[in-house]
Amino acid sequence: IVAEKTGYPEDMLDLELDLEADLGIDTVKQAETFAAIREAYDIPRDENLQLRDYPTLAHAIQFVQERRPDRAEAATDESATPPASDATSAEPAGGLQARIPRAVLRPALELCKPTGVELAVRQRVVLMPDRGGVARALTRRLEQRGVEVLSLDPAADAEALTHQLTDWGQQGLIDGVYWLPALDGEGEASELTSEDWREGLRLRVKGLYTTARALYDHLAAPGRFLVCATRLGGCHGYDADGATNPMGGAVTGFAKAFAREHPAALVKAVDFPVSRKTAELADALIAETLSDPGCVEVGRRGSDRFTVALEEAPASGEGGITFDRDSVALVTGAAGGIVSAIVSDLARGGVGHFHLLDLSPAPEPGDPDVAAFGEDRDTLKRTLFERLKAGGGRVTPVQVERELSRIERLHEADAALRAISEAGGVAHWHAVDLTDGTAVDDVVGEIRRESGRVDLLVHAAGLEVSRALPDKEPDEFDRVFDVKCDGWFHLQRALRDVPLQAVVLFSSIAGRFGNAGQTDYSAANDLLCKSASALRRTRPTTRGLAIDWTAWSRIGMASRGSIPEIMQRAGIDMLAPEDGIPLVRRALEAGGEHRELLAAGALGVLLAERDETGGLDVAALQSPSQPRGPMVGTLLGMGLGGLRVSVGLDPKQQPFLNDHRIDGTAVLPGVMGIEAFVEAARLPFPELSVAAVEDVRFLAPFKFYRDEPRDVEVEAQFVREGQDVVASCRLIGRRSLAGRDEPQETIHFTGRVRLSGEAPDLGVRPPANEPGDSVLDPADLYALYFHGPAYRVVGSAWQSPDGVTGRLAEGLSANHVPEELPLQTRPRLLELGFQVAGAQEIAQTGRMALPMQIGRVRFGPGEAEAACAVVSPREPGASADVAVVDPAGRVLLSLEGYVTAELPGSLDAAALRAVLADADSARSS
């Protein structure tokens, strides 16, 4: 049972290993494990059971021996063995993590490292200009530095462009490229012709392909660069307004893939808002070239810099869409195995009518090859080989695989058609080349005549051919890029006056992160992502969603050959069909504002930082005017996960640990976790004040087993909300556990720190009431609480009509060492609120609880040696609100929405109950 619950093979479960300290099985999982053991052996529940009495697997076996009803007499039988279980049957937790990209703040450039690019005399830089004047301003500034600027002709075709670049390259080294065409407005897609669309992409991305390919070797070394500029809005489309000029997404996608092929070079896609500024943009491009090697995607808006990071997608939101038997779906790429499975799920989920578009023709009923593929793929492969051989000539594996792939698509198409029919739906097949605008217009016209409407568009067509840029011929780049991008343009143009409910665009993790060998695929997918974002502006009543799929397991081409092994080596999880197939339907039903969704598990090397500290100049952030507190020891850097800081803590040295123990084990106080959040959040923004700490979650206690020191790491990811800066924080612990190669990583606390220009004034309320005859003796409270001297913060407590009041104890010993290290919050005033609220809960319920979450904490100005925490009256089990006030009634701290998690076991709380009588009784008396 323990093996099944923990996922450890039985031969790794040494009986003397501590379940929590050595195996990482937290108290919640221990409780689940013991519940399963009780059920398996029919052991009655014991309300007074203390898990700490059974710390090892040997103790768990002892528990069974002592309590199993039919073997109580065998409690001392040393030959008893644990029940057998099939450890291999335990499935790992689902690997799918739905995440959404969002724009997060980057540090100011003066806090970043130099990139290694010089922009100095005798350097030669290629520039593809824009039409708006930024290129002219940039050229002047570069020439003032002594740089030779080699300007390309935007009208030149690929052949002329290649000839010019080759000629320049033969004359000497090219140090870098500035690519500016995506700064120009592209026009609304609904107003463009096919020729306009293709010309816009030729200039923006296909010319970039030609240039980067011709200068591939020139740009490979450190100090070389490719800097592209876009006008997606300043946040790469990841804001409430949606992307402008979404063709720029193709430029960004290309740059991200190129950066994977040239990790030593500086590669950036710098995004700006729409404006007429030229000199400011030129200055920004030079500054981005010289500083911050840590990220590829950079956004500029006013004085703020942004990049793109990931956050967990909300479970649901507003605007969920449901479909019925009258709903009509148009699906491209319908003969793909993955698409076929998703279509089947949509049919079972309620969609009644499907128009399936694919380059492949509809499968012929009763096709023996299609049937054979479903029965035995390898046998069919041999049959095809013999058939081709009989036709004469030399037969190659490539020929066989090409024919097998054609049959596979027919097989998947047939499966989709049958699934729709079995679900009671109606399917129509349309063979069409999506790159042919006239053909798409004809098919959509036919669909409108047949069905009269289209509710859902799923654009899943695409192909992928991985090849490094020097080996990627133009026709291959066009073939991969055009089917997605031209296909999307032709579809949206043909459906421009159709009131679509939703559009789903199939992207890839290559579009989100870039991938070596996939410059075309990454460019096309990122254009689709920016197009989904742009629907906020162009079709505000249509839900647009781009899905960045990872590679799938057990379905599709990536599930065969060497790809699974390559993915495993890269640390990238493949997507299980049972997780991925229902994702489209569930995402539409869930609703929400996000326009791009990442469907993947572990991302491995894709999350690796381009720079050791994420581009952050650690020394520049260590301001002498802002000495660091006890919860920030080492600045690790600022990557895609945000600012990372670490501190080593030793319970034998720090009073806030030594005096905060549960069952003898030192535990990091939640109030010091909040202090850690604030200390980290203010490091890049020392000029801002703490307005609040919000949405705090205490997910798992941070324990110091055997009083051994541990490192606490905090990540803080920054966003702009109006005039405030908000840091989303995580407190993380890592431990090496028995039987595991990699350390166990646990997120213990999360929360948001809100920074603003001024600290809030929380006002004044009536001073805390004075106690009557009934005052709680702290000795009675700390007979139940586990705190030592530094955290025995309650000097006295009493009940009144206003609620429960607790006074801060006098003469408290030091909170931390060195004692002179400054605190950003007031941990022990907050702890006073926690403990008084806890005392009230003990008096009401007879049970002790630990902090679980806080809605909001605000810190007002002022200091006070004397303070009282007033806990407002509440019903048992309800959240608490607390105000900590000084003797004059000035509010020093307010705590809203304080929620606890109950510890098992009852308490002898008679003393507390006698003093902290029920609030209703106190008020009525």
Side-chain angles (χ1 to χ4, degrees), residues 734-792:
R734 295 181 179 86
R735 292 198 298 134
S736 297
L737 301 173
R740 293 193 181 183
D741 295 331
E742 297 295 326
Q744 179 196 60
E745 178 177 296
T746 302
I747 300 172
H748 294 271
F749 307 158
T750 62
R752 296 174 7 122
V753 179
R754 182 173 296 275
L755 303 174
S756 65
E758 296 181 359
D761 187 344
L762 305 183
V764 178
R765 54 167 289 164
N769 57 73
E770 291 300 317
D773 295 335
S774 183
V775 178
L776 176 68
D777 185 342
D780 293 326
L781 179 63
Y782 292 108
L784 303 175
Y785 278 173
F786 45 76
H787 304 82
Y791 269 64
R792 294 188 174 184

Side-chain angles (χ1 to χ4, degrees), residues 351-666:
V351 179
H353 297 266
F354 290 86
H355 290 275
L356 305 178
L357 279 60
D358 199 274
L359 191 60
S360 299
E364 293 291 337
D367 186 328
D369 285 344
V370 171
F373 183 92
E375 294 170 0
D376 191 335
R377 186 176 186 275
D378 290 335
T379 298
L380 176 61
K381 185 184 294 187
R382 168 60 61 179
T383 300
L384 293 174
F385 177 82
E386 297 297 337
R387 184 185 302 170
L388 291 169
K389 185 177 179 181
R394 180 168 168 263
V395 180
T396 67
V398 171
Q399 292 175 296
V400 175
E401 287 297 327
R402 186 181 298 122
E403 180 65 7
L404 192 66
S405 177
R406 183 188 69 82
I407 296 169
E408 180 178 12
R409 293 187 67 82
L410 293 174
H411 175 269
E412 298 302 339
D414 182 66
L417 292 169
R418 285 188 287 104
I420 293 170
S421 176
E422 291 169 1
V426 178
H428 308 268
W429 191 270
H430 307 270
V432 62
D433 180 356
L434 293 178
T435 65
D436 183 339
T438 301
V440 173
D441 284 341
D442 291 343
V443 165
V444 171
E446 180 183 343
I447 292 170
R448 296 175 72 170
R449 288 190 297 273
E450 289 183 2
S451 299
R453 60 192 273 194
V454 177
D455 301 289
L456 170 64
L457 168 62
V458 179
H459 181 37
L463 68 150
E464 185 277 316
V465 182
S466 291
R467 218 184 305 275
L469 194 56
D471 302 323
K472 191 174 286 292
E473 296 296 332
D475 61 336
E476 180 180 289
F477 187 97
D478 291 347
R479 190 166 66 251
V480 172
F481 184 84
D482 291 351
V483 68
K484 279 184 172 286
C485 298
D486 288 359
W488 161 240
F489 172 75
H490 294 145
L491 288 166
Q492 62 177 327
R493 188 186 62 177
L495 294 165
R496 58 182 172 269
D497 59 343
V498 175
L500 290 165
Q501 289 191 64
V503 171
V504 178
L505 304 174
F506 276 26
S507 178
S508 162
I509 57 173
R512 171 84 301 277
F513 299 104
N515 197 23
Q518 296 184 336
T519 47
D520 41 13
Y521 195 60
S522 177
N525 280 307
D526 210 12
L527 186 149
L528 294 185
C529 291
K530 301 311 185 281
S531 297
S533 172
L535 290 175
R536 294 178 188 269
R537 299 180 302 100
T538 60
R539 298 190 70 139
T541 61
T542 298
R543 170 78 189 284
L545 178 64
I547 301 180
D548 300 325
W549 299 105
T550 189
W552 291 58
S553 65
R554 311 198 309 276
I555 186 171
M557 296 298 292
S559 64
R560 297 192 289 271
S562 62
I563 294 179
E565 182 181 350
I566 293 172
M567 297 284 283
Q568 184 178 19
R569 288 202 305 266
I572 302 172
D573 287 345
M574 299 186 76
L575 183 60
E578 58 269 22
D579 292 330
I581 288 170
L583 183 63
V584 171
R585 174 177 50 81
R586 290 173 180 172
L588 293 173
E589 291 172 348
E593 287 299 315
H594 49 276
R595 297 298 172 117
E596 184 177 341
L597 185 69
L598 179 77
L603 292 167
V605 297
L606 295 178
L607 295 181
E609 301 293 348
R610 289 182 62 80
D611 177 78
E612 183 182 9
T613 65
L616 184 69
D617 184 347
V618 172
L621 207 59
Q622 297 176 355
S623 170
S625 62
Q626 187 190 6
R628 281 182 267 166
M631 296 303 294
V632 172
T634 303
L635 278 70
L636 302 176
M638 188 164 187
L640 294 178
L643 178 70
R644 295 182 299 118
V645 301
S646 177
V647 62
L649 297 178
D650 187 345
K652 295 188 289 293
Q653 295 181 0
Q654 285 295 358
F656 64 80
L657 296 175
N658 191 47
D659 289 348
H660 192 266
R661 295 176 178 271
I662 300 177
D663 297 328
T665 299

Side-chain angles (χ1 to χ4, degrees), residues 102-109 111-112 234-235 238 292 295 297-310 614 616 637-643 681 684-685 687-688 716-728 753 755:
R102 66 168 181 171
V104 299
L105 288 167
R106 287 286 294 170
L109 283 176
L111 298 177
C112 295
C235 292
Y238 299 108
D292 190 1
C295 61
E297 293 168 290
V298 178
R300 304 279 298 220
R301 182 177 285 180
S303 60
D304 288 333
R305 300 178 67 241
F306 298 90
T307 192
V308 182
L310 299 173
L616 184 69
M638 188 164 187
L640 294 178
L643 178 70
F685 302 98
E687 74 282 4
L688 298 181
Q717 198 173 77
F718 301 89
V719 298
R720 175 72 73 179
E721 291 188 3
Q723 296 301 310
D724 293 346
V725 171
V726 177
S728 295
V753 179
L755 303 174

Side-chain angles (χ1 to χ4, degrees), residues 720-915:
R720 175 72 73 179
E721 291 188 3
Q723 296 301 310
D724 293 346
V725 171
V726 177
S728 295
C729 300
R730 307 192 308 168
L731 189 145
I732 301 167
R734 295 181 179 86
R735 292 198 298 134
S736 297
L737 301 173
R740 293 193 181 183
D741 295 331
E742 297 295 326
Q744 179 196 60
E745 178 177 296
T746 302
I747 300 172
H748 294 271
F749 307 158
T750 62
R752 296 174 7 122
V753 179
R754 182 173 296 275
L755 303 174
S756 65
E758 296 181 359
D761 187 344
L762 305 183
V764 178
R765 54 167 289 164
N769 57 73
E770 291 300 317
D773 295 335
S774 183
V775 178
L776 176 68
D777 185 342
D780 293 326
L781 179 63
Y782 292 108
L784 303 175
Y785 278 173
F786 45 76
H787 304 82
Y791 269 64
R792 294 188 174 184
V793 295
V794 179
S796 59
W798 61 93
Q799 175 71 67
S800 73
D802 293 334
V804 176
T805 300
R807 178 168 288 152
L808 183 66
E810 298 179 357
L812 289 171
S813 58
N815 175 77
H816 57 275
V817 294
E819 195 171 358
E820 64 271 15
L821 294 180
L823 295 170
Q824 300 287 327
T825 64
R826 297 171 173 138
R828 289 194 288 194
L829 286 188
L830 184 55
E831 182 70 22
L832 177 67
F834 284 10
Q835 292 190 21
V836 176
Q840 182 193 56
E841 187 167 9
I842 293 172
Q844 288 180 327
T845 66
R847 294 185 180 274
M848 184 183 292
L850 295 178
M852 184 171 71
Q853 66 187 60
I854 304 170
R856 181 171 67 164
V857 183
R858 293 187 294 164
F859 303 93
E863 299 290 341
E865 292 294 329
C868 287
V870 182
V871 182
S872 299
R874 56 172 171 158
E875 296 298 322
S879 64
D881 293 334
V882 184
V884 179
V885 299
D886 67 9
R890 181 173 51 178
V891 180
L892 305 173
L893 179 152
S894 70
L895 173 61
E896 303 165 24
Y898 175 59
V899 178
T900 59
E902 184 180 289
L903 285 174
S906 58
L907 297 171
D908 181 7
L912 269 70
R913 290 171 187 252
V915 174

